[in-house]
């Protein structure tokens, strides 16, 4: 039972390069999320998808785009990477329509932009 | 504004020295409060969900409690393997968003 799977685990980009972070969940959850985690800042929401076919901005969406490919998969794209996007990126899923439904996280993608 | 604040930022305990971590929240209603454990290089791991004031949940040496304004994570007789960052989050009403505190870094010394 894999839960939430993120690829790649590590990535180094040069400023201006693009890349897509992949995320898939096998828990049949409707809602999926992308967070970034920086020292002293905690987990900040980039984008989320309440259900298949919908996406919404979170707290820090600038410089990112997302695609909810199907119920299982939710990708995050950096079109032109900047050093400020150096961070650890976590994908998560939940049944957010239900009260008391927790987020379940992947193990993250560690991204460095030079 | 919906907000979650955790204290202390860091805590060092001797093995067996019990203590509590605090999570205070300001939301206009609560759809759930969640505690997570995060080990270095890993994603947050779900521990507990609490919903109603007065509710308590336990797991091994951990016990989470909830009031109308805050939650406590009590650690009884901790062991070195309890060392981790503990995160608190709330789900605000009428949204699909989860708001996280910045966490408490716990170090338990043998």
């Amino acid at each position: 039972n894999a839960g939430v799977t993120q690829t790649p685990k590590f990535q180094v980009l040069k400023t201006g390069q693009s890349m897509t972070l992949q995320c898939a969940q096998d828990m049949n959850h409707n809602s999926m999320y992308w967070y970034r985690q920086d020292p002293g800042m905690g987990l900040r929401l980039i984008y989320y998808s309440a259900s298949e076919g919908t996406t919404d901005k979170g707290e820090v969406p600038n410089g990112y785009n997302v695609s909810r490919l199907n119920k299982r998969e939710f990708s995050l794209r950096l079109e032109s990477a900047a050093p400020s996007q150096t961070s650890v990126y976590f994908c998560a899923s939940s049944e957010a329509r239900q009260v008391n439904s927790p987020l379940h996280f992947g193990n993250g993608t560690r991204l460095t932009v030079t | 504004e919906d907000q979650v604040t955790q204290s202390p930022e860091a805590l060092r305990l001797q093995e067996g020295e019990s203590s509590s971590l605090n999570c205070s929240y300001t939301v206009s209603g609560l759809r759930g409060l969640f505690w997570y454990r995060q080990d270095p290089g890993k994603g947050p791991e779900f521990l507990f969900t609490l919903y109603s004031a007065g509710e308590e949940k336990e797991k091994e040496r951990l016990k989470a409690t909830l009031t109308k304004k805050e939650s406590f994570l009590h650690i009884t007789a901790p062991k070195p393997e309890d060392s981790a960052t503990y995160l608190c989050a709330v789900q605000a009403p009428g949204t699909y968003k989860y708001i996280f505190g910045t966490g408490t870094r716990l170090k338990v010394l043998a």
Side-chain angles (χ1 to χ4, degrees), chain B residues 25-84:
Chain B
Y25 60 92
T26 54
V27 292
S28 52
L30 189 65
R31 286 175 56 85
L33 184 140
F34 309 94
W35 283 99
Y36 291 84
R37 170 189 172 126
Q38 186 174 23
D39 293 299
K42 300 284 190 180
E45 176 189 353
F46 170 65
L47 292 173
F48 302 111
T49 181
L50 302 164
Y51 179 60
S52 303
E55 192 174 358
E56 299 182 352
K57 295 277 181 71
E58 285 189 69
K59 180 179 180 180
E60 296 181 359
R61 294 176 293 282
L62 300 177
K63 179 180 178 180
T65 62
L66 181 66
T67 72
K68 288 188 177 179
K69 292 188 177 182
E70 58 190 352
S71 176
F72 293 93
L73 185 65
H74 307 278
I75 304 176
T76 301
K79 299 182 177 182
E81 53 261 43
D82 295 321
S83 297

Short mmCIF file of all heavy atoms in Angstrom, two decimals, chain B residues 25-84:
data_model
loop_
_atom_site.label_atom_id
_atom_site.label_comp_id
_atom_site.label_asym_id
_atom_site.label_seq_id
_atom_site.Cartn_x
_atom_site.Cartn_y
_atom_site.Cartn_z
N TYR B 25 -4.86 27.89 18.36
CA TYR B 25 -5.41 28.17 17.05
C TYR B 25 -6.49 29.23 17.12
O TYR B 25 -7.18 29.37 18.13
CB TYR B 25 -5.97 26.89 16.41
CG TYR B 25 -7.07 26.22 17.19
CD1 TYR B 25 -8.40 26.51 16.95
CD2 TYR B 25 -6.77 25.30 18.19
CE1 TYR B 25 -9.41 25.91 17.66
CE2 TYR B 25 -7.77 24.68 18.91
CZ TYR B 25 -9.09 24.99 18.64
OH TYR B 25 -10.08 24.38 19.37
N THR B 26 -6.61 29.98 16.03
CA THR B 26 -7.70 30.94 15.90
C THR B 26 -8.35 30.66 14.55
O THR B 26 -7.80 30.98 13.50
CB THR B 26 -7.19 32.39 15.95
OG1 THR B 26 -6.16 32.55 14.97
CG2 THR B 26 -6.64 32.73 17.32
N VAL B 27 -9.47 29.99 14.58
CA VAL B 27 -10.30 29.79 13.40
C VAL B 27 -11.73 30.08 13.80
O VAL B 27 -12.09 29.95 14.97
CB VAL B 27 -10.18 28.36 12.82
CG1 VAL B 27 -8.82 28.12 12.25
CG2 VAL B 27 -10.53 27.33 13.86
N SER B 28 -12.56 30.38 12.84
CA SER B 28 -13.94 30.75 13.12
C SER B 28 -14.83 29.54 13.31
O SER B 28 -16.02 29.66 13.36
CB SER B 28 -14.47 31.64 12.00
OG SER B 28 -14.26 31.02 10.75
N GLY B 29 -14.27 28.41 13.38
CA GLY B 29 -14.96 27.14 13.60
C GLY B 29 -13.93 26.06 13.35
O GLY B 29 -12.88 26.34 12.78
N LEU B 30 -14.15 24.84 13.73
CA LEU B 30 -13.10 23.83 13.60
C LEU B 30 -13.68 22.59 12.94
O LEU B 30 -14.66 22.01 13.43
CB LEU B 30 -12.54 23.49 14.98
CG LEU B 30 -11.29 22.61 15.01
CD1 LEU B 30 -10.10 23.32 14.38
CD2 LEU B 30 -10.96 22.21 16.44
N ARG B 31 -13.07 22.19 11.82
CA ARG B 31 -13.46 20.94 11.19
C ARG B 31 -12.54 19.80 11.57
O ARG B 31 -12.73 18.67 11.18
CB ARG B 31 -13.47 21.10 9.66
CG ARG B 31 -14.65 21.89 9.14
CD ARG B 31 -14.54 22.13 7.64
NE ARG B 31 -14.41 20.91 6.88
CZ ARG B 31 -15.42 20.16 6.48
NH1 ARG B 31 -16.65 20.48 6.83
NH2 ARG B 31 -15.22 19.08 5.75
N GLY B 32 -11.51 20.13 12.34
CA GLY B 32 -10.58 19.09 12.79
C GLY B 32 -9.25 19.71 13.15
O GLY B 32 -8.82 20.69 12.53
N LEU B 33 -8.61 19.15 14.18
CA LEU B 33 -7.24 19.53 14.54
C LEU B 33 -6.40 18.27 14.46
O LEU B 33 -6.83 17.20 14.91
CB LEU B 33 -7.19 20.13 15.95
CG LEU B 33 -5.80 20.64 16.38
CD1 LEU B 33 -5.91 21.94 17.15
CD2 LEU B 33 -5.00 19.60 17.12
N PHE B 34 -5.24 18.39 13.86
CA PHE B 34 -4.44 17.22 13.53
C PHE B 34 -3.02 17.38 14.07
O PHE B 34 -2.43 18.45 13.97
CB PHE B 34 -4.38 17.03 12.01
CG PHE B 34 -5.74 17.05 11.36
CD1 PHE B 34 -6.25 18.23 10.85
CD2 PHE B 34 -6.50 15.90 11.29
CE1 PHE B 34 -7.50 18.27 10.27
CE2 PHE B 34 -7.76 15.93 10.71
CZ PHE B 34 -8.26 17.11 10.20
N TRP B 35 -2.48 16.30 14.62
CA TRP B 35 -1.08 16.25 15.04
C TRP B 35 -0.32 15.31 14.12
O TRP B 35 -0.81 14.22 13.78
CB TRP B 35 -0.95 15.77 16.48
CG TRP B 35 -1.27 16.81 17.51
CD1 TRP B 35 -2.43 16.97 18.19
CD2 TRP B 35 -0.38 17.82 18.00
NE1 TRP B 35 -2.34 18.02 19.06
CE2 TRP B 35 -1.08 18.56 18.97
CE3 TRP B 35 0.94 18.18 17.70
CZ2 TRP B 35 -0.52 19.64 19.66
CZ3 TRP B 35 1.51 19.24 18.39
CH2 TRP B 35 0.80 19.96 19.35
N TYR B 36 0.90 15.77 13.76
CA TYR B 36 1.78 14.98 12.90
C TYR B 36 3.15 14.89 13.54
O TYR B 36 3.58 15.79 14.26
CB TYR B 36 1.95 15.65 11.53
CG TYR B 36 0.71 15.64 10.67
CD1 TYR B 36 -0.26 16.61 10.82
CD2 TYR B 36 0.52 14.65 9.71
CE1 TYR B 36 -1.40 16.60 10.04
CE2 TYR B 36 -0.60 14.64 8.91
CZ TYR B 36 -1.57 15.62 9.08
OH TYR B 36 -2.69 15.60 8.31
N ARG B 37 3.86 13.82 13.19
CA ARG B 37 5.27 13.68 13.54
C ARG B 37 6.06 13.71 12.25
O ARG B 37 5.68 13.08 11.25
CB ARG B 37 5.49 12.33 14.24
CG ARG B 37 6.94 11.97 14.42
CD ARG B 37 7.13 10.56 14.90
NE ARG B 37 8.56 10.23 14.86
CZ ARG B 37 9.24 9.77 15.89
NH1 ARG B 37 8.63 9.54 17.05
NH2 ARG B 37 10.53 9.51 15.79
N GLN B 38 7.18 14.47 12.23
CA GLN B 38 8.02 14.51 11.04
C GLN B 38 9.46 14.20 11.42
O GLN B 38 10.06 14.91 12.23
CB GLN B 38 7.94 15.88 10.34
CG GLN B 38 8.68 15.89 9.02
CD GLN B 38 8.51 17.19 8.26
OE1 GLN B 38 8.20 18.23 8.82
NE2 GLN B 38 8.70 17.12 6.94
N ASP B 39 9.99 13.15 10.81
CA ASP B 39 11.39 12.79 10.98
C ASP B 39 12.21 13.44 9.87
O ASP B 39 11.69 13.70 8.77
CB ASP B 39 11.56 11.27 10.95
CG ASP B 39 10.90 10.61 12.15
OD1 ASP B 39 11.33 10.93 13.28
OD2 ASP B 39 9.96 9.83 11.98
N PRO B 40 13.51 13.68 10.12
CA PRO B 40 14.35 14.33 9.09
C PRO B 40 14.32 13.58 7.77
O PRO B 40 14.45 12.36 7.74
CB PRO B 40 15.74 14.29 9.73
CG PRO B 40 15.49 14.28 11.19
CD PRO B 40 14.25 13.46 11.38
N GLY B 41 14.12 14.32 6.68
CA GLY B 41 14.12 13.72 5.36
C GLY B 41 12.84 12.98 4.99
O GLY B 41 12.79 12.32 3.95
N LYS B 42 11.82 13.08 5.83
CA LYS B 42 10.57 12.37 5.59
C LYS B 42 9.40 13.34 5.53
O LYS B 42 9.50 14.49 5.99
CB LYS B 42 10.31 11.36 6.71
CG LYS B 42 11.38 10.31 6.85
CD LYS B 42 11.29 9.26 5.79
CE LYS B 42 12.21 8.10 6.08
NZ LYS B 42 12.13 7.06 5.02
N GLY B 43 8.27 12.86 5.01
CA GLY B 43 7.07 13.65 5.07
C GLY B 43 6.40 13.52 6.42
O GLY B 43 6.66 12.58 7.17
N PRO B 44 5.52 14.47 6.77
CA PRO B 44 4.79 14.38 8.05
C PRO B 44 3.96 13.10 8.10
O PRO B 44 3.30 12.72 7.13
CB PRO B 44 3.91 15.62 8.04
CG PRO B 44 4.62 16.58 7.13
CD PRO B 44 5.22 15.73 6.07
N GLU B 45 3.98 12.47 9.28
CA GLU B 45 3.22 11.24 9.52
C GLU B 45 2.07 11.55 10.46
O GLU B 45 2.27 12.08 11.55
CB GLU B 45 4.14 10.19 10.13
CG GLU B 45 3.44 8.89 10.52
CD GLU B 45 4.36 7.98 11.30
OE1 GLU B 45 5.55 8.28 11.43
OE2 GLU B 45 3.87 6.96 11.83
N PHE B 46 0.87 11.22 10.04
CA PHE B 46 -0.32 11.51 10.83
C PHE B 46 -0.32 10.75 12.15
O PHE B 46 -0.05 9.55 12.20
CB PHE B 46 -1.57 11.16 10.02
CG PHE B 46 -2.85 11.20 10.79
CD1 PHE B 46 -3.33 12.38 11.31
CD2 PHE B 46 -3.57 10.03 10.99
CE1 PHE B 46 -4.51 12.41 12.03
CE2 PHE B 46 -4.75 10.05 11.71
CZ PHE B 46 -5.22 11.23 12.23
N LEU B 47 -0.63 11.47 13.25
CA LEU B 47 -0.72 10.85 14.58
C LEU B 47 -2.17 10.81 15.08
O LEU B 47 -2.68 9.74 15.42
CB LEU B 47 0.12 11.64 15.59
CG LEU B 47 1.64 11.60 15.42
CD1 LEU B 47 2.28 12.57 16.41
CD2 LEU B 47 2.15 10.18 15.64
N PHE B 48 -2.79 11.99 15.22
CA PHE B 48 -4.10 12.09 15.85
C PHE B 48 -4.97 13.11 15.12
O PHE B 48 -4.46 14.08 14.58
CB PHE B 48 -3.99 12.61 17.30
CG PHE B 48 -3.14 11.78 18.21
CD1 PHE B 48 -1.93 12.28 18.67
CD2 PHE B 48 -3.56 10.53 18.63
CE1 PHE B 48 -1.15 11.54 19.52
CE2 PHE B 48 -2.79 9.79 19.49
CZ PHE B 48 -1.57 10.29 19.94
N THR B 49 -6.28 12.90 15.21
CA THR B 49 -7.23 13.93 14.86
C THR B 49 -8.15 14.16 16.06
O THR B 49 -8.57 13.22 16.72
CB THR B 49 -8.03 13.56 13.60
OG1 THR B 49 -8.93 14.61 13.30
CG2 THR B 49 -8.79 12.27 13.78
N LEU B 50 -8.45 15.43 16.33
CA LEU B 50 -9.34 15.83 17.41
C LEU B 50 -10.37 16.78 16.82
O LEU B 50 -10.06 17.57 15.92
CB LEU B 50 -8.56 16.54 18.52
CG LEU B 50 -7.43 15.74 19.17
CD1 LEU B 50 -6.51 16.66 19.95
CD2 LEU B 50 -8.01 14.66 20.08
N TYR B 51 -11.57 16.73 17.38
CA TYR B 51 -12.63 17.55 16.80
C TYR B 51 -13.41 18.33 17.85
O TYR B 51 -13.72 19.50 17.67
CB TYR B 51 -13.57 16.66 15.99
CG TYR B 51 -14.73 17.40 15.37
CD1 TYR B 51 -14.53 18.43 14.47
CD2 TYR B 51 -16.04 17.05 15.69
CE1 TYR B 51 -15.59 19.10 13.91
CE2 TYR B 51 -17.10 17.73 15.13
CZ TYR B 51 -16.87 18.75 14.23
OH TYR B 51 -17.93 19.42 13.68
N SER B 52 -13.71 17.68 18.96
CA SER B 52 -14.56 18.32 19.97
C SER B 52 -13.76 18.68 21.22
O SER B 52 -12.91 17.90 21.66
CB SER B 52 -15.68 17.36 20.39
OG SER B 52 -16.44 16.96 19.28
N ALA B 53 -14.06 19.86 21.78
CA ALA B 53 -13.41 20.27 23.02
C ALA B 53 -13.63 19.19 24.08
O ALA B 53 -14.74 18.69 24.25
CB ALA B 53 -13.96 21.61 23.49
N GLY B 54 -12.54 18.85 24.78
CA GLY B 54 -12.62 17.79 25.78
C GLY B 54 -12.18 16.44 25.25
O GLY B 54 -11.94 15.51 26.03
N GLU B 55 -12.03 16.32 23.96
CA GLU B 55 -11.64 15.06 23.35
C GLU B 55 -10.17 14.76 23.66
O GLU B 55 -9.34 15.67 23.74
CB GLU B 55 -11.86 15.13 21.84
CG GLU B 55 -11.77 13.79 21.13
CD GLU B 55 -12.14 13.91 19.66
OE1 GLU B 55 -12.50 15.01 19.21
OE2 GLU B 55 -12.05 12.88 18.96
N GLU B 56 -9.85 13.47 23.84
CA GLU B 56 -8.48 13.02 24.09
C GLU B 56 -8.21 11.80 23.23
O GLU B 56 -9.08 10.97 23.01
CB GLU B 56 -8.27 12.66 25.56
CG GLU B 56 -8.48 13.80 26.53
CD GLU B 56 -8.21 13.40 27.97
OE1 GLU B 56 -8.02 12.20 28.24
OE2 GLU B 56 -8.20 14.30 28.84
N LYS B 57 -6.96 11.70 22.73
CA LYS B 57 -6.53 10.52 21.99
C LYS B 57 -5.15 10.10 22.52
O LYS B 57 -4.33 10.96 22.87
CB LYS B 57 -6.41 10.83 20.49
CG LYS B 57 -7.73 11.18 19.81
CD LYS B 57 -8.49 9.95 19.41
CE LYS B 57 -9.79 10.28 18.72
NZ LYS B 57 -9.60 10.82 17.37
N GLU B 58 -4.89 8.81 22.55
CA GLU B 58 -3.61 8.31 23.05
C GLU B 58 -3.00 7.32 22.08
O GLU B 58 -3.71 6.56 21.40
CB GLU B 58 -3.80 7.60 24.40
CG GLU B 58 -4.02 8.51 25.57
CD GLU B 58 -3.97 7.76 26.89
OE1 GLU B 58 -2.88 7.30 27.29
OE2 GLU B 58 -5.04 7.64 27.51
N LYS B 59 -1.66 7.34 22.06
CA LYS B 59 -0.92 6.36 21.28
C LYS B 59 0.45 6.20 21.93
O LYS B 59 1.25 7.13 21.93
CB LYS B 59 -0.75 6.83 19.84
CG LYS B 59 0.00 5.87 18.94
CD LYS B 59 0.09 6.44 17.52
CE LYS B 59 0.84 5.49 16.60
NZ LYS B 59 0.94 6.04 15.22
N GLU B 60 0.67 5.06 22.52
CA GLU B 60 1.92 4.76 23.22
C GLU B 60 2.20 5.85 24.26
O GLU B 60 1.42 6.05 25.17
CB GLU B 60 3.06 4.59 22.22
CG GLU B 60 2.85 3.41 21.28
CD GLU B 60 3.97 3.22 20.30
OE1 GLU B 60 4.94 4.00 20.31
OE2 GLU B 60 3.90 2.27 19.51
N ARG B 61 3.28 6.59 24.13
CA ARG B 61 3.66 7.60 25.13
C ARG B 61 3.04 8.97 24.83
O ARG B 61 3.30 9.93 25.56
CB ARG B 61 5.19 7.72 25.18
CG ARG B 61 5.87 6.45 25.69
CD ARG B 61 7.37 6.57 25.63
NE ARG B 61 7.85 6.61 24.26
CZ ARG B 61 7.97 5.55 23.46
NH1 ARG B 61 7.63 4.36 23.91
NH2 ARG B 61 8.43 5.68 22.22
N LEU B 62 2.26 9.08 23.80
CA LEU B 62 1.68 10.35 23.38
C LEU B 62 0.19 10.42 23.72
O LEU B 62 -0.54 9.45 23.54
CB LEU B 62 1.85 10.55 21.87
CG LEU B 62 3.27 10.56 21.33
CD1 LEU B 62 3.25 10.68 19.81
CD2 LEU B 62 4.08 11.68 21.95
N LYS B 63 -0.22 11.60 24.18
CA LYS B 63 -1.63 11.84 24.45
C LYS B 63 -1.96 13.25 23.99
O LYS B 63 -1.30 14.21 24.40
CB LYS B 63 -1.93 11.71 25.94
CG LYS B 63 -3.38 11.97 26.32
CD LYS B 63 -3.55 11.80 27.83
CE LYS B 63 -4.95 12.10 28.28
NZ LYS B 63 -5.10 11.92 29.75
N ALA B 64 -2.96 13.37 23.14
CA ALA B 64 -3.37 14.67 22.62
C ALA B 64 -4.71 15.06 23.24
O ALA B 64 -5.61 14.22 23.37
CB ALA B 64 -3.50 14.62 21.10
N THR B 65 -4.82 16.34 23.62
CA THR B 65 -6.05 16.86 24.19
C THR B 65 -6.45 18.13 23.47
O THR B 65 -5.60 18.79 22.83
CB THR B 65 -5.89 17.15 25.69
OG1 THR B 65 -4.87 18.15 25.86
CG2 THR B 65 -5.50 15.90 26.47
N LEU B 66 -7.73 18.49 23.58
CA LEU B 66 -8.26 19.64 22.83
C LEU B 66 -9.18 20.48 23.70
O LEU B 66 -10.04 19.94 24.40
CB LEU B 66 -9.04 19.16 21.60
CG LEU B 66 -9.62 20.24 20.70
CD1 LEU B 66 -8.52 21.05 20.01
CD2 LEU B 66 -10.56 19.62 19.65
N THR B 67 -8.96 21.81 23.68
CA THR B 67 -9.90 22.76 24.26
C THR B 67 -10.43 23.63 23.13
O THR B 67 -10.07 23.42 21.96
CB THR B 67 -9.23 23.65 25.32
OG1 THR B 67 -8.36 24.59 24.66
CG2 THR B 67 -8.44 22.82 26.31
N LYS B 68 -11.21 24.65 23.47
CA LYS B 68 -11.79 25.50 22.42
C LYS B 68 -10.76 26.39 21.75
O LYS B 68 -11.02 26.93 20.67
CB LYS B 68 -12.92 26.34 22.99
CG LYS B 68 -14.17 25.53 23.30
CD LYS B 68 -15.34 26.40 23.69
CE LYS B 68 -16.58 25.55 23.90
NZ LYS B 68 -17.74 26.37 24.30
N LYS B 69 -9.60 26.56 22.38
CA LYS B 69 -8.61 27.47 21.79
C LYS B 69 -7.25 26.84 21.57
O LYS B 69 -6.38 27.46 20.94
CB LYS B 69 -8.44 28.70 22.69
CG LYS B 69 -9.67 29.59 22.73
CD LYS B 69 -9.40 30.88 23.47
CE LYS B 69 -10.59 31.79 23.44
NZ LYS B 69 -10.35 33.07 24.11
N GLU B 70 -7.02 25.65 22.14
CA GLU B 70 -5.69 25.07 22.01
C GLU B 70 -5.72 23.55 22.18
O GLU B 70 -6.70 22.98 22.66
CB GLU B 70 -4.71 25.69 23.02
CG GLU B 70 -5.11 25.56 24.46
CD GLU B 70 -4.25 26.40 25.39
OE1 GLU B 70 -3.23 26.97 24.95
OE2 GLU B 70 -4.59 26.48 26.58
N SER B 71 -4.61 22.96 21.76
CA SER B 71 -4.43 21.53 21.93
C SER B 71 -3.06 21.30 22.55
O SER B 71 -2.12 22.09 22.33
CB SER B 71 -4.51 20.82 20.58
OG SER B 71 -4.25 19.43 20.71
N PHE B 72 -2.96 20.23 23.33
CA PHE B 72 -1.69 19.86 23.93
C PHE B 72 -1.33 18.45 23.48
O PHE B 72 -2.20 17.58 23.39
CB PHE B 72 -1.76 19.90 25.45
CG PHE B 72 -1.93 21.29 26.01
CD1 PHE B 72 -3.19 21.79 26.28
CD2 PHE B 72 -0.83 22.08 26.25
CE1 PHE B 72 -3.36 23.07 26.78
CE2 PHE B 72 -0.97 23.36 26.77
CZ PHE B 72 -2.25 23.85 27.02
N LEU B 73 -0.04 18.26 23.24
CA LEU B 73 0.49 16.93 23.00
C LEU B 73 1.39 16.59 24.19
O LEU B 73 2.45 17.18 24.36
CB LEU B 73 1.28 16.87 21.70
CG LEU B 73 1.77 15.49 21.27
CD1 LEU B 73 0.59 14.56 20.96
CD2 LEU B 73 2.68 15.59 20.05
N HIS B 74 0.90 15.68 25.03
CA HIS B 74 1.63 15.30 26.23
C HIS B 74 2.51 14.10 25.90
O HIS B 74 2.03 13.12 25.32
CB HIS B 74 0.65 14.94 27.35
CG HIS B 74 -0.36 16.00 27.62
ND1 HIS B 74 -0.11 17.11 28.42
CD2 HIS B 74 -1.65 16.12 27.20
CE1 HIS B 74 -1.19 17.86 28.47
NE2 HIS B 74 -2.15 17.29 27.75
N ILE B 75 3.77 14.17 26.31
CA ILE B 75 4.69 13.07 26.08
C ILE B 75 5.13 12.55 27.45
O ILE B 75 5.79 13.27 28.21
CB ILE B 75 5.90 13.53 25.25
CG1 ILE B 75 5.42 14.16 23.95
CG2 ILE B 75 6.84 12.36 24.98
CD1 ILE B 75 6.52 14.72 23.10
N THR B 76 4.76 11.31 27.72
CA THR B 76 5.03 10.71 29.03
C THR B 76 6.24 9.78 28.93
O THR B 76 6.29 8.91 28.06
CB THR B 76 3.81 9.90 29.51
OG1 THR B 76 2.68 10.78 29.58
CG2 THR B 76 4.07 9.30 30.88
N ALA B 77 7.21 10.01 29.81
CA ALA B 77 8.42 9.18 29.87
C ALA B 77 9.02 8.98 28.48
O ALA B 77 9.13 7.83 28.00
CB ALA B 77 8.13 7.85 30.54
N PRO B 78 9.39 10.07 27.79
CA PRO B 78 9.86 9.94 26.41
C PRO B 78 11.15 9.15 26.29
O PRO B 78 11.97 9.09 27.22
CB PRO B 78 10.06 11.39 25.97
CG PRO B 78 10.31 12.14 27.24
CD PRO B 78 9.45 11.46 28.27
N LYS B 79 11.32 8.58 25.09
CA LYS B 79 12.53 7.84 24.74
C LYS B 79 13.24 8.56 23.59
O LYS B 79 12.60 9.35 22.88
CB LYS B 79 12.18 6.41 24.33
CG LYS B 79 11.51 5.60 25.44
CD LYS B 79 11.24 4.18 24.97
CE LYS B 79 10.63 3.36 26.11
NZ LYS B 79 10.40 1.94 25.70
N PRO B 80 14.51 8.29 23.38
CA PRO B 80 15.23 8.95 22.27
C PRO B 80 14.53 8.81 20.92
O PRO B 80 14.59 9.72 20.10
CB PRO B 80 16.59 8.26 22.29
CG PRO B 80 16.80 7.88 23.72
CD PRO B 80 15.43 7.49 24.22
N GLU B 81 13.85 7.70 20.71
CA GLU B 81 13.17 7.51 19.42
C GLU B 81 11.95 8.42 19.24
O GLU B 81 11.37 8.48 18.15
CB GLU B 81 12.76 6.04 19.23
CG GLU B 81 11.94 5.45 20.35
CD GLU B 81 12.79 4.62 21.30
OE1 GLU B 81 13.92 5.07 21.65
OE2 GLU B 81 12.32 3.54 21.72
N ASP B 82 11.56 9.12 20.28
CA ASP B 82 10.49 10.11 20.17
C ASP B 82 11.00 11.44 19.61
O ASP B 82 10.21 12.35 19.34
CB ASP B 82 9.83 10.36 21.52
CG ASP B 82 9.10 9.13 22.05
OD1 ASP B 82 8.47 8.43 21.23
OD2 ASP B 82 9.18 8.87 23.26
N SER B 83 12.30 11.56 19.44
CA SER B 83 12.89 12.78 18.88
C SER B 83 12.38 12.97 17.45
O SER B 83 12.50 12.06 16.61
CB SER B 83 14.41 12.69 18.88
OG SER B 83 14.90 12.61 20.20
N ALA B 84 11.84 14.14 17.18
CA ALA B 84 11.25 14.45 15.88
C ALA B 84 10.71 15.87 15.95
O ALA B 84 10.74 16.52 17.00
CB ALA B 84 10.11 13.49 15.53
#
